[in-house]
Amino acid sequence: MARNPVTWLGVPPFPKAAHTALADSQLRRNMRHATHTIRDKRARVVSELPDWEGLRRAGEAIKNDVLANLDFYLERLEEAVTARGGVVHWARDAAEANEIVLRLTREAGTGEVVKVKSMATAEIGLNEALEAGGVRAIETDLAELIVQLGHDRPSHILVPAIHRNRAEIREIFRREMPGAPADLPAEPRALAEAARRHLRHKFLTAKVAISGANFAVADTGSIMVVESEGNGRMCLTLPRTLITVMGLEKLVPTWQDLEVFLQLLPRSSTAERMNPYTSVWTGVTPGDGPQEFHLVLLDNGRTEALADTVGRQALRCIRCSACLNVCPVYERTGGQAYGSVYPGPIGAILTPQLVADAHDKQAASLPYASSLCGACFEACPVRIDIPEVLTHLRAKAVEAKPKRGEAAAMALLSRVFADPRKYEAAQKAGALAGRLVPGGKASTLPWPGSLWTSSRDVPMPPRESFRTWWRNNRG
C-alpha cells in the first residue's frame, strides 16, 4: 500500500499518459502559450534585481538550516502557536491528517467548508476524504474552482487550470456552476465575475475554512499565505474555525528570514514584485477573525526524504513552479501526464520520495521524465539541483531492481572485453549480423530484446570493424 495519495489513482504510467497529452494539440498550444508568457515575465522582473543570485543562495542557506535543525524549529513553532491560543496536531501520514481535519469539521457542526488553494491538502486527498465523510469542500481559488467544477485534475502547481483556455472555462461554468448565465461570454472579466458571485455566499456563510501555508515563522508561530485574488483573505478572516494543513518543511526561523522569500517567491511564481495579498495570522485574536485555529503538521514521508542526503534538497521547494515553466518535457506533456499532485521537474524528484509503495510504477517512472537539460536548476529560486537528484533517484531505482539477468549479461560482457580474441570474434559476429539485417537496423527482436525494440530500433554494428579495416588497409 502507498503511504498516501500523492499520485492520482487510475492514471497510467508516465509514457502512456505523455503520449495521450502529446496527441492533444489544443492542450499543447495552451501549455506553450501559458508557460512562455510566465517565463518571459519572470525573466524581466528577475533582471531588475542585481543581487538575485545572492538572494537564491540566501534562500538555499535558510532552508538548509531549517532541514538540519527541523526538530528544534518544529518544537519552537508548536510552543509559539500554543502560547497564542492555537492548537497543534501532528499527522504521520495522509490518513491521520484527513481524520484530524474531518473530526474538527464535524465538531464545528458543518457539512461544508471553504478552502484556500493548498498543495498539501491535494497531496493527502483531503477533498475526497471529506466527501467520503459527508463534508463538501468548496475550492475558492479561481483555477482550483475551474478544476473542481470540471471534474478535472490540476496540471500546474501555481496555475492548476493552465491546460484550459477561456472557451473551455466558459463551457464548464455554464454546465456546472449554479446561477451561471447561459449567455456567459468567454471574457476573463465576465468569467471572474461569475465565479465571484458564486463564491460570495459561500464566504459569508462558511463556519470552517481550510488552508495550506506558504511559510510559518518558528519564533512567533505566525502562518503566512500569499495569493493574487483575495479569496484567501476571505477564507482566513470570516469563518469561525480555521484549519491549516502544513508540510513540516515550510518553516523559516525568524521574521527576518521572510524578507528573502518574499522577494524570491513572487518573482519566481507569478512574475510580480510582490504578491497582491499577503495574509499573516498568529494564533487567535479574541473578537477578531477565527476564534479557533488548528495547525496540522504533516509528515507524510518527509522525515524519510530528510534522511537522504541528496534527495532532501526537494524539501527546500517553496512551490513557485519556476521549474515547470522552463521544462521542455512539461511544456509538451502537461502536468496531468505525471499522474502526481506535484508535476514537472519538482514532482519528478518529490513524489518518488513521498510515495512509500515500491510497486507504484507511476511514481517510479517520474525521475526518467526529464532531458536533464538543467534549466530547472537555473530557474529554481532556492537552488535545488534537480538534475542531480534525478540521476540519484534513477540510480536508486536501478539498484532496487532484481539483477540476475543483468548480472549475467554484465559478467559475459566483462569476459569478452577482457580477452582481445573474444572481443574481435564478437566484432566479427556483429559485422555478420549487420550484413544480414536490411537497412542496418533491427525493428523487432525476440525476448528479451523485444523490451528494447517495442519502442525503438536497434542499430546494427558496422559491416567492417575498425580493427579489420586497419589490418586490411594498414597491415
Side-chain angles (χ1 to χ4, degrees):
M1 289 291 292
R3 178 190 293 112
N4 55 62
V6 173
T7 54
W8 289 307
L9 298 178
V11 177
F14 184 86
K16 186 175 181 180
H19 292 163
T20 302
L22 289 171
D24 189 337
S25 58
Q26 182 62 59
L27 181 145
R28 288 188 286 111
R29 283 195 295 270
N30 295 348
M31 294 295 303
R32 179 176 176 80
H33 173 74
T35 55
H36 280 246
T37 299
I38 299 172
R39 182 193 310 178
D40 294 343
K41 288 174 61 180
R42 176 188 178 276
R44 287 196 294 272
V45 295
V46 165
S47 66
E48 297 174 353
L49 295 181
D51 61 340
W52 179 253
E53 187 58 27
L55 284 169
R56 290 180 74 209
R57 292 187 179 277
E60 176 188 17
I62 293 168
K63 280 292 188 178
N64 282 344
D65 173 52
V66 168
L67 296 178
N69 301 282
L70 190 58
D71 54 346
F72 170 76
Y73 288 123
L74 284 171
E75 290 179 358
R76 178 181 288 186
L77 176 70
E78 181 181 30
E79 291 172 1
V81 170
T82 303
R84 290 160 176 80
V87 180
V88 176
H89 308 262
W90 298 81
R92 288 167 294 187
D93 54 25
E96 192 166 355
N98 289 334
E99 187 278 328
I100 291 169
V101 176
L102 181 60
R103 173 173 54 81
L104 293 173
T105 303
R106 286 173 171 168
E107 289 174 358
T110 183
E112 187 172 272
V113 300
V114 290
K115 285 186 70 226
V116 186
K117 179 181 181 299
S118 163
M119 296 301 295
T121 59
E123 174 189 323
I124 62 177
L126 178 62
N127 287 13
E128 293 77 9
L130 290 176
E131 184 177 359
V135 177
R136 187 185 180 204
I138 305 297
E139 296 290 351
T140 65
D141 175 84
L142 178 56
E144 289 284 0
L145 178 64
I146 293 166
V147 170
Q148 186 177 46
L149 292 177
H151 309 287
D152 202 353
R153 296 192 304 269
S155 62
H156 193 277
I157 289 176
L158 181 69
V159 195
I162 195 172
H163 58 291
R164 296 289 192 183
N165 60 31
R166 63 183 67 176
E168 293 171 318
I169 295 169
R170 175 188 61 186
E171 292 307 311
I172 291 172
F173 280 9
R174 289 171 59 184
R175 185 177 67 248
E176 301 288 343
M177 183 184 288
D183 59 348
L184 179 66
E187 297 298 325
R189 183 185 295 272
L191 295 172
E193 181 61 26
R196 186 179 294 113
R197 290 179 179 276
H198 169 70
L199 291 172
R200 182 57 56 127
H201 175 71
K202 304 295 183 183
F203 289 136
L204 295 176
T205 58
K207 295 181 179 180
V208 176
I210 298 173
S211 82
N214 290 102
F215 305 103
V217 183
D219 271 359
T220 63
S222 304
I223 313 298
M224 175 178 288
V225 166
V226 296
E227 39 131 1
S228 299
E229 300 170 15
N231 63 295
R233 181 70 55 84
M234 301 286 279
C235 291
L236 299 170
T237 55
L238 293 178
R240 176 176 176 79
T241 301
L242 174 59
I243 304 170
T244 296
V245 180
M246 186 188 89
L248 299 178
E249 79 282 12
K250 290 299 189 72
L251 285 166
V252 295
T254 69
W255 268 93
Q256 185 176 4
D257 297 316
L258 280 175
E259 176 189 355
V260 173
F261 295 103
L262 290 181
Q263 295 182 75
L264 289 171
L265 180 57
R267 285 177 167 83
S268 296
S269 55
T270 55
E272 296 171 296
R273 296 174 183 86
M274 65 181 294
N275 292 98
Y277 294 90
T278 300
S279 300
V280 185
W281 65 99
T282 307
V284 173
T285 302
D288 184 19
Q291 296 304 289
E292 289 186 29
F293 171 56
H294 298 270
L295 176 62
V296 181
L297 292 174
L298 177 67
D299 185 337
N300 208 38
R302 285 161 173 79
T303 51
E304 291 184 24
L306 187 65
D308 188 327
T309 55
V310 177
R312 71 171 60 166
Q313 294 181 63
L315 298 179
R316 293 207 299 260
C317 177
I318 58 175
R319 309 294 193 267
C320 70
S321 75
C323 62
L324 280 68
N325 299 325
V326 298
C327 177
V329 176
Y330 173 84
E331 178 187 310
R332 287 161 177 80
T333 63
Q336 294 181 352
Y338 291 77
S340 166
V341 170
Y342 301 106
I346 187 61
I349 64 172
L350 185 59
T351 299
Q353 297 188 83
L354 297 184
V355 175
D357 188 354
H359 301 289
D360 190 325
K361 294 182 179 180
Q362 179 68 44
S365 71
L366 292 180
Y368 297 91
S370 171
S371 64
L372 298 179
C373 68
C376 49
F377 171 62
E378 297 299 327
C380 179
V382 288
R383 291 175 48 83
I384 301 172
D385 194 340
I386 294 177
E388 179 188 30
V389 183
L390 286 168
T391 54
H392 170 68
L393 294 177
R394 290 181 186 184
K396 290 181 67 175
V398 170
E399 291 171 2
K401 289 180 179 179
K403 297 180 175 60
R404 290 188 296 272
E406 181 181 341
M410 291 297 107
L412 176 61
L413 284 174
S414 67
R415 288 196 294 270
V416 171
F417 287 136
D419 188 324
R421 289 177 298 178
K422 291 179 181 177
Y423 181 70
E424 188 164 353
Q427 285 185 314
K428 290 179 179 179
L432 178 60
R435 294 191 186 96
L436 297 176
V437 176
K441 59 184 178 181
S443 299
T444 57
L445 288 176
W447 191 90
S450 59
L451 298 174
W452 178 276
T453 56
S454 62
S455 58
R456 55 184 69 82
D457 292 332
V458 176
M460 290 292 102
R463 296 188 177 189
E464 184 179 47
S465 70
F466 176 76
R467 286 169 177 258
T468 303
W469 177 89
W470 184 271
R471 186 181 298 114
N472 293 338
N473 291 275
R474 300 296 173 90

